[in-house]
Amino acid sequence: MQGTTPRRARASYNQKYDPVTDKSIGSGCDYAPTYWIGTAGPAPQDDGPVTGDMDVDVVVIGSGYTGLSCALHLAKEFGIKAHVLEANGVAYGCSTRNGGQAQISSGRLKRSQWIERWGVETAKGLHAEVTEAFDLFRGLIRDHAIDCEPQDGGHYYIAHKGWMMPKLAKEAALLRETFGYGARILNREELHETAVRDQEAHGAMWEPDGTAIHAAKLAFGYLRVARELGAKVHTDSPVESWQTINGVHHLRTPGGTVRARAVAVATAGYAPRGLHPRLRDRIMPIMSNSIVTRKLTAAEREACGIRVGSPLTDTRTLRHYYRLLPDGRVQIGSRAAITGQDADNPAHLAGLRAALARKFPALRGIDLDYSWWGWVDVSHDMMPRITAMPGLPNAFYAMGYGGNGVMYSAQAGRRMAQMVAGRASDVPRLPIFHQELPHEGWKTPFRRLGQWGLYKLYHFQDERG
């Protein structure tokens, strides 16, 4: 069910890894057995582990979408050849475990919530930022011939209950009237006829920007481009300690200490708690599960009526994200376990199977080819930050996308590259660039208890009639 990985032998991946409780992510581990890894083919060459002490200009910690984009843009726009440090294989974490959905967002909040928090003008600035980000994302794929199977067609935000339709209509009107963005509402019949025959659906809001991609092929494309531009990507090189001495960052890895003028952190949900005190507990790692079916028969495809390949998500707070893959399989994911120790609980797999069957009764009990899970970097205020680390010279981070990083991570990496290169004046004056990720303070030890309670509440609210 979990597929195979056509790569050199490594230690088995730790399926119970938990960034809140484990001291280290480890190194030399195999990838999670995702559909993306199972179907990506061989990864492009990397530069292997650090094998001795080095003095470099810039270090990027983490080789997912954000870290590789940062290295790519440092080289492309500023001629800076960064060294990327990765604990395991390239894009080991979020970037090869997500749902492959690119949406016009940078966090968990809707446009109306941006306005509530920051006012209309700042909200318009954020909208301009994610619009520019989507153009950058598409441009990287196009200009560098990244064969990640992009499927454009917009994003369908599907009402799983009738009482969600007025809320979607209000949000669509706001998008059109305040932001000049062409969102529109589809009723159930229109949605079924033109996009997907989701049996739970009461209609949907369609956004013009939405692209589905092959997650690992996108990451491996970024890797190829970054190295062609001169970046070095060192796998199996976890940062075991970080000291700053006389303005120079000393990053100790198993193979040697890397000394750097500047550091850019892009570890997302896989950030070890001990990486640096300024980063500790600034995000809440949330687990997300995914399954991929066997290839559908022609009759099953007709019964499901999935006529688009672009992203589909429903309106649950603990939302389901799903799509038809180019090879005729269906993928669906959602939030699941709270701790790593509970990750392989069969109840989570059963919950995803049940969700798939509610939406597409013809797929009840269908065989699965892949099942996996991974950690998402959710910020405590539901918005990402790309910013400097206060009190630490030439140190920056980009994290907290809340599951919406497939697209925006490209822009986040570029923004962080601008900061590293001393071009912070090129970065818009928006809250996500000039404020730290919030910390929960005294509540930190109790976050998972709160998460458990919120999951119960969200499920009750989502499923009421």
Side-chain angles (χ1 to χ4, degrees), residues 320-389:
H320 295 102
Y321 49 91
Y322 46 114
R323 54 181 286 207
L324 179 68
L325 296 165
D327 63 7
R329 294 177 169 98
V330 169
Q331 179 269 340
I332 184 170
S334 187
R335 303 298 178 251
I338 291 176
T339 68
Q341 287 300 310
D342 191 46
D344 59 354
N345 186 331
H348 306 311
L349 178 60
L352 271 184
R353 280 186 168 279
L356 182 66
R358 287 195 306 269
K359 295 178 181 302
F360 307 112
L363 304 186
R364 186 179 301 277
I366 191 172
D367 290 339
L368 303 179
D369 283 347
Y370 296 87
S371 173
W372 73 89
W373 49 85
W375 295 98
V376 177
D377 56 329
V378 178
S379 70
H380 294 112
D381 70 351
M382 303 299 168
M383 288 296 287
R385 297 297 190 281
I386 305 92
T387 189
M389 295 170 64

Side-chain angles (χ1 to χ4, degrees), residues 5 7 10 13 29-33 37 43 89-92 96-97 220:
T5 304
R7 288 184 174 76
R10 287 173 167 267
Y13 101 104
C29 294
D30 203 354
Y31 287 93
I37 290 296
V90 170
Y92 174 81
T96 52
R97 307 191 198 196
F220 295 162

Side-chain angles (χ1 to χ4, degrees), residues 248-460:
V248 177
H249 302 285
H250 295 240
L251 305 171
R252 182 171 57 82
T253 77
T257 296
V258 183
R259 295 175 290 268
R261 171 191 65 82
V263 176
V265 180
T267 47
Y270 290 80
R273 293 184 75 212
L275 180 60
H276 195 279
R278 293 300 314 184
L279 297 170
R280 188 179 178 93
D281 298 326
R282 295 270 172 188
I283 61 166
M284 181 64 181
I286 301 291
M287 187 172 287
S288 189
N289 278 38
S290 279
I291 56 175
V292 171
T293 70
R294 61 158 169 77
K295 293 181 180 180
L296 272 55
T297 65
E300 288 167 338
R301 289 188 65 161
E302 176 58 29
C304 296
I306 308 178
R307 296 176 173 82
V308 298
S310 57
L312 311 169
T313 59
D314 70 22
T315 48
R316 289 175 168 86
T317 304
L318 303 177
R319 68 180 58 178
H320 295 102
Y321 49 91
Y322 46 114
R323 54 181 286 207
L324 179 68
L325 296 165
D327 63 7
R329 294 177 169 98
V330 169
Q331 179 269 340
I332 184 170
S334 187
R335 303 298 178 251
I338 291 176
T339 68
Q341 287 300 310
D342 191 46
D344 59 354
N345 186 331
H348 306 311
L349 178 60
L352 271 184
R353 280 186 168 279
L356 182 66
R358 287 195 306 269
K359 295 178 181 302
F360 307 112
L363 304 186
R364 186 179 301 277
I366 191 172
D367 290 339
L368 303 179
D369 283 347
Y370 296 87
S371 173
W372 73 89
W373 49 85
W375 295 98
V376 177
D377 56 329
V378 178
S379 70
H380 294 112
D381 70 351
M382 303 299 168
M383 288 296 287
R385 297 297 190 281
I386 305 92
T387 189
M389 295 170 64
L392 202 62
N394 296 314
F396 311 84
Y397 63 78
M399 291 189 289
Y401 309 123
N404 280 323
V406 170
M407 179 281 292
Y408 189 69
S409 54
Q411 178 82 334
R414 175 174 172 257
R415 293 301 190 200
M416 190 157 59
Q418 290 171 330
M419 296 176 186
V420 169
R423 296 287 294 273
S425 59
D426 294 344
V427 178
R429 292 295 303 178
L430 295 171
I432 62 173
F433 301 123
H434 302 286
Q435 298 173 358
E436 280 192 280
L437 283 165
H439 195 284
E440 290 289 86
W442 66 267
K443 294 183 285 185
T444 298
F446 308 102
R447 291 182 300 169
R448 282 194 159 162
L449 179 61
Q451 182 186 353
W452 179 86
L454 284 172
Y455 274 24
K456 297 291 185 184
L457 175 63
Y458 293 154
H459 180 76
F460 171 77

